[in-house]
Amino acid sequence: MSQPASVPAAPDLPSGALLFQIFEGTPAAVYVKDAQGRYLLTNRRFRELFCAPDATGIGQTDAELFPAPVAALIQANDREALRHGTARNFEEILPLADGSARVYLALRFPIPGPVSGESVLCGVATDITRRKRREDAMRNVAVAVSTAHGQNVFEHLVRSLAAALRVEAAFIALPPEGGSDRLRMLALCANGEFVENLEYVVAGTPCETVVGQEFRIYPSGVRERFARAAEFAFVPAESYAGYPLSDSRGGPLGLISVISRKPMRDPGLVESILRIYAARAVTEIERRRSDEALHASAQQYRAIFNASLDALVLRDEQFRIVDVNPAFEAMTGRPREYFLGRSEIISRPGDADGYAAAVERLKAGEPIRVETTGARPDGTRFEIEVRGVPMRYQGRPHLLFVARDISERKRAEMALRASEEQYRAIFNAAADALVLRDADFRIVEINDTYMAMTERTRDEVIGADRVIANPGAVDLRFRALHRAVLAGESGAIETQLLRKDGTHFEVEVRAVPIRYRGTPHVLYMGRDITARKRAEEA
């Protein structure tokens, strides 16, 4: 079966020659050892790394190729692989022929040897130095980021960032208050020192390509590429990398960047590390802004709380008092410190059980209103109207009580009740029939004389907006009189009224404007003149 045209045909070589070319050309160091640890076979990469020039290492042992501690470790790993009889991986730091050292992942596995019953060891060593450095760098970054706390957290971040990427400068920059075409360094570490309050114009710098956009790296040639690269005078910038900072809603905050006087060779590692530091920086920036907003809110709360003319008491979930305002101190005659932490009810109404039930309703989320009596240190008592509302304070449920001294109002109400009782006594004792109507002509009050004169009860007339004891035609005269009296005039009418039994009687009605419970009313005063009219006729 012929192969597709896109797949190259295998070279026409003997299998042994092909395998040898693969063996020699692989970038990993490959070797074969006998049971005594002598190298039987090495490939080109092994010889380049570990052998002297023009040497093959064949016939030599690890003790002849490597320093004693390294040779001992290699031999121990060889014995481990042979003992298990399966492929095993080992990490080894091996010195090279040029004097440097690299980290290798050495795969060892036994294979049958040329002598019956004897195994030889095949090894494949792959250079993982770069990967190990990346792992170590990321591990160090994770430790540095997770341990950066406190007031100087941003300084800790930029210092450890510069160390992690082995650059001369690292910084976090945000726009100044109100926004502008400039950035201000929130923290800058340059050449191991912190620089404060540095601002620079963004346009013409590599930062312009980062803020509100995406990760950027310029591995070299920064000064030639950007006209304003001189803004970074604290480090002669050859290379630059920056990562944008975005808030939780995706809005731009600023950036975190690094600068070096040397080229940056590993963009992937730089981006990974900057991403980690950016996430930590954003978390801290938003936390601080939240704290600042909370502080401003607390200050605003305190200003409003203290300025309230009503007495305010704030209690927590355990009903402990956590705050009172100056109005409460003035009302109770006691200082704030006296109340803080107290959990009992400071004053109780007459119905203590009812008040306790109201508090339980408040705890369940229902606003309440109660009236109670308080006492000052000198023994004087005062009446209070208390309103309670559930609220959240510093993220937790609280109860806010708003208290108002209603002593004057209560005294006024008592005086009004006494006045109304006097009014009622006079009203009912009057010899004339009295009818009080509101501005809409509705009857709001009558006296006993009216009921006796018309033979009608209160329930029959209260709320009526017509002249009940008059023929319909007379109603219009009374309505005209009502309008005139509301306008400030006084007036009188003589007419006939009907008792409930249908009998007629003559009446003289005078009307005067008055104010009742704060609104305009008209008071009608009726006098039975039947006898007088008959005498006049006689």
Side-chain angles (χ1 to χ4, degrees):
M1 185 174 182
S2 62
Q3 293 181 338
S6 59
V7 178
D12 187 15
L13 292 172
S15 60
L18 178 60
L19 289 175
F20 183 76
Q21 288 189 16
I22 295 173
F23 176 79
E24 279 291 291
T26 183
V30 184
Y31 55 87
V32 179
K33 297 181 186 179
D34 63 17
Q36 287 70 44
R38 289 188 300 269
Y39 286 91
L40 302 177
L41 191 62
T42 61
N43 72 342
R44 181 186 297 117
R45 187 59 177 160
F46 183 94
R47 296 190 294 273
E48 291 171 350
L49 293 173
F50 306 117
C51 298
D54 299 327
T56 64
I58 294 175
Q60 293 181 291
T61 64
D62 293 308
E64 295 170 304
L65 290 178
F66 300 104
V70 176
L73 174 64
I74 294 173
Q75 291 164 0
N77 292 340
D78 288 349
R79 289 193 296 273
E80 180 77 6
L82 288 170
R83 183 172 66 84
H84 282 273
T86 57
R88 307 279 288 180
N89 275 314
F90 304 92
E91 280 191 15
E92 298 170 341
I93 299 176
L94 303 178
L96 307 187
D98 62 6
S100 64
R102 308 283 288 182
V103 181
Y104 285 88
L105 182 66
L107 172 67
R108 291 179 173 82
F109 53 93
I111 57 176
V115 179
S116 177
E118 184 181 79
S119 293
V120 297
L121 192 66
C122 182
V124 180
T126 305
D127 189 340
I128 60 169
T129 306
R130 183 176 178 183
R131 191 191 81 189
K132 290 295 292 182
R133 286 177 179 171
R134 288 175 67 102
E135 290 175 355
D136 291 343
M138 297 302 286
R139 185 162 46 251
N140 293 336
V141 163
V143 172
V145 167
S146 62
T147 57
H149 295 288
Q151 190 63 30
N152 299 323
V153 60
F154 296 114
E155 287 82 352
H156 293 320
L157 288 176
V158 294
R159 182 189 290 278
S160 64
L161 174 59
L165 290 177
R166 300 179 182 179
V167 297
E168 287 73 28
F171 62 89
I172 299 169
L174 307 178
E177 186 98 13
S180 71
D181 60 348
R182 306 176 70 83
L183 286 177
R184 176 181 297 158
M185 299 291 190
L186 183 61
L188 164 63
C189 180
N191 300 310
E193 301 293 333
F194 291 111
V195 182
E196 297 182 352
N197 302 322
L198 179 65
E199 277 193 22
Y200 63 97
V201 176
V202 181
T205 71
C207 297
E208 184 180 23
T209 67
V210 177
V211 177
Q213 299 182 56
E214 60 185 359
F215 167 75
R216 291 279 194 280
I217 184 168
Y218 302 100
S220 61
V222 169
R223 280 170 292 180
E224 294 76 16
R225 181 166 184 169
F226 293 95
R228 298 187 66 91
E231 293 281 356
F232 306 131
F234 45 85
V235 171
E238 172 62 22
S239 57
Y240 169 96
Y243 201 95
L245 304 180
S246 302
D247 61 25
S248 54
R249 296 186 299 274
L253 287 175
L255 81 167
I256 184 168
S257 300
V258 291
I259 300 172
S260 179
R261 60 168 54 95
K262 302 184 295 295
M264 294 186 195
R265 301 300 187 188
D266 194 341
L269 178 63
V270 173
E271 181 179 6
S272 298
I273 291 178
L274 278 178
R275 182 186 296 114
I276 295 171
Y277 276 88
R280 180 67 180 89
V282 166
T283 300
E284 186 63 24
I285 291 169
E286 292 202 317
R287 186 192 66 79
R288 290 196 176 187
R289 290 185 175 181
S290 176
D291 288 348
E292 290 170 1
L294 185 62
H295 180 67
S297 175
Q299 288 182 318
Q300 187 179 41
Y301 148 79
R302 172 56 58 189
I304 296 172
F305 192 80
N306 286 341
S308 173
L309 297 178
D310 288 327
L312 303 178
V313 180
L314 186 65
R315 293 181 182 265
D316 63 15
E317 293 172 284
Q318 284 72 46
F319 209 62
R320 294 186 298 253
I321 294 178
V322 297
D323 209 354
V324 301
N325 71 341
F328 187 80
E329 294 178 276
M331 185 175 71
T332 59
R334 289 184 172 91
R336 179 172 179 266
E337 292 71 20
Y338 173 82
F339 298 102
L340 297 184
R342 298 172 72 100
S343 58
E344 71 273 17
I345 296 174
I346 302 302
S347 56
R348 289 183 179 273
D351 181 8
D353 293 337
Y355 186 74
V359 169
E360 291 304 315
R361 294 200 308 272
L362 177 60
K363 291 178 180 179
E366 177 187 342
I368 63 169
R369 177 192 173 280
V370 294
E371 291 185 3
T372 184
T373 302
R376 297 185 178 93
D378 61 4
T380 58
R381 301 182 71 79
F382 55 97
E383 301 295 323
I384 318 170
E385 177 189 72
V386 180
R387 297 179 183 272
V389 292
M391 62 173 289
R392 293 191 74 81
Y393 175 68
Q394 296 182 347
R396 300 192 64 82
H398 283 68
L399 305 174
L400 178 65
F401 292 86
V402 183
R404 180 172 295 180
D405 188 335
I406 58 171
S407 302
E408 287 299 324
R409 191 188 82 189
K410 298 293 281 187
R411 283 192 286 268
E413 288 175 354
M414 291 177 64
L416 181 60
R417 280 196 297 270
S419 174
E420 287 188 347
E421 288 172 1
Q422 290 177 336
Y423 148 77
R424 170 62 55 192
I426 296 170
F427 193 79
N428 286 332
D432 291 336
L434 301 180
V435 178
L436 185 64
R437 291 182 181 267
D438 64 14
D440 296 321
F441 204 64
R442 289 188 296 264
I443 296 175
V444 297
E445 193 59 270
I446 60 174
N447 70 347
D448 295 343
T449 304
Y450 176 88
M451 291 189 283
M453 185 182 292
T454 63
E455 298 177 347
R456 286 176 171 83
T457 64
R458 285 175 56 81
D459 292 341
E460 291 179 285
V461 298
I462 295 298
D465 60 354
R466 67 188 188 282
V467 180
I468 295 175
N470 260 85
V474 181
D475 188 83
L476 297 177
R477 293 175 61 199
F478 273 96
R479 290 185 183 275
L481 175 63
H482 194 78
R483 289 192 295 270
V485 173
L486 285 174
E489 302 177 12
S490 297
I493 293 177
E494 287 189 9
T495 186
Q496 282 189 343
L497 292 181
L498 292 173
R499 295 185 177 89
K500 195 171 183 179
D501 63 3
T503 59
H504 291 79
F505 63 98
E506 300 291 332
V507 66
E508 177 188 68
V509 179
R510 288 178 294 116
V512 294
I514 69 169
R515 291 189 71 81
Y516 176 68
R517 293 182 177 175
T519 59
H521 285 67
V522 176
L523 178 63
Y524 292 89
M525 297 167 283
R527 180 171 296 177
D528 188 341
I529 58 172
T530 305
R532 192 188 78 187
K533 294 292 285 185
R534 288 174 181 170
E536 288 174 354
E537 290 174 1

